[in-house]
């Protein structure tokens, strides 16, 4: 079986001791990984990892938490790295009004600047949205035409899924789809065309059942695929194949 974990943070210090083993377990299970930058340092690390491994790709970008550090030189660095073949997206970018680690107007500015960058470089985007959906949708709707990218760790219901699909976006489904309380999310996934679904871990966070409570890693993405397969009423091999095709198409991966 071949799978793509479309959103992981392999640079995270949770993998400091055994990163090579984590990557080896994923590869042994047929899993390719898009590792996502969240600031300058982690974006640089993501590019390095992607340079070293044929089945790892990188996204470069600044998470809304660190929006206050985004300046012209940050954007120039992202632009420089984005020219690399192994860099396939700008992300993760967006808004986070739950933790509010950067002022909201600064988050919106950094988000708009990185959306512009992605458009200029013709790269898809990886979006982060936490308790900021109204402003996120408003900013996305400012741009003409459709967007190309994925709402990572989508947690909403059917109406919100529809709003993102209408903007041309894919939905990234992760570990929370396996959590008992997330019935509305499962209902939403049932209604989303498979062509618009990606699967992800967000490792080391959001560990799926049955490993919930432990550190997450890309090899656990099979448990997300299993749950999505159940919801769509198809075989897990089918979900693996089709979400891999989606990732290949969206990010232009060579596998
Ligand atoms: Zn993430």
């Amino acid at each position: 079986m071949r799978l793509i974990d479309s959103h992981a943070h392999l640079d995270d210090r949770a993998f400091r001791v055994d990163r090579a083993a984590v990557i080896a377990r994923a590869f042994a299970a047929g899993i390719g990984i898009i590792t996502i930058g969240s600031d300058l340092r982690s974006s640089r690390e993501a590019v390095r990892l992607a340079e070293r491994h044929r089945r790892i790709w990188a996204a470069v970008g600044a998470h809304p938490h660190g929006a206050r550090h985004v300046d012209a030189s940050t954007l120039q660095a992202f632009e420089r790295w984005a020219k690399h073949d192994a860099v396939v997206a700008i992300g993760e970018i967006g808004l986070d009004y739950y933790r509010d680690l950067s002022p909201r107007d600064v988050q919106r500015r950094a988000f708009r600047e990185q959306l512009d960058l992605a458009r200029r470089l013709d790269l898809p985007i990886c979006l982060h949205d936490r308790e900021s959906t109204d402003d996120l949708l408003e900013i996305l709707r400012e741009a003409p035409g459709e967007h190309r990218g994925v709402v990572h760790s989508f947690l909403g219901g059917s109406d919100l899924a529809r709003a993102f699909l209408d903007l041309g976006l894919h939905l990234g489904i992760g570990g929370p789809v396996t959590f008992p309380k997330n019935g509305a999310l499962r209902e939403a996934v049932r209604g989303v065309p498979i062509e618009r679904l990606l699967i992800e871990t967000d490792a080391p966070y959001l560990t799926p059942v049955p490993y919930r409570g432990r550190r997450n890693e890309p090899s656990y993405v099979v448990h997300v695929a299993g749950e999505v397969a159940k919801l769509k009423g198809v075989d897990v091999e089918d979900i693996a194949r089709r979400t891999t095709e989606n990732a290949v198409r969206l990010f232009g991966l060579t596998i």
Side-chain angles (χ1 to χ4, degrees), residues 63-65 93-100 104 107 127-134 136 151-153 155 181 206:
H63 191 286
H65 288 342
I93 62 175
L95 303 172
D96 191 311
Y97 293 176
Y98 176 71
R99 292 186 67 195
D100 274 330
R104 293 181 178 183
Q107 292 189 39
L127 292 171
H128 173 100
D129 169 33
R130 195 158 182 203
E131 298 192 6
S132 49
T133 307
D134 289 349
L136 188 98
V151 182
H152 125 75
S153 191
L155 294 172
K181 64 164 188 184
L206 299 178

Side-chain angles (χ1 to χ4, degrees), residues 49-72:
L49 283 161
E51 278 174 339
R52 279 205 295 270
H53 301 278
R54 202 174 57 78
R55 277 190 292 151
I56 297 179
W57 298 271
V60 296
H63 191 286
H65 288 342
R68 64 187 188 284
H69 303 300
V70 175
D71 59 17

Side-chain angles (χ1 to χ4, degrees), residues 12 14-15 18 22 25 175-176 178-179 201-223:
D12 196 280
F15 300 119
D18 61 345
V22 167
R25 275 197 290 278
T178 68
F179 301 171
T201 57
D202 202 22
Y205 312 107
L206 299 178
T207 313
V209 174
Y211 298 117
R212 202 175 175 186
R214 311 215 320 231
R215 182 189 70 175
N216 200 1
E217 63 170 72
S219 63
Y220 297 170
V221 80
V222 292
H223 299 285

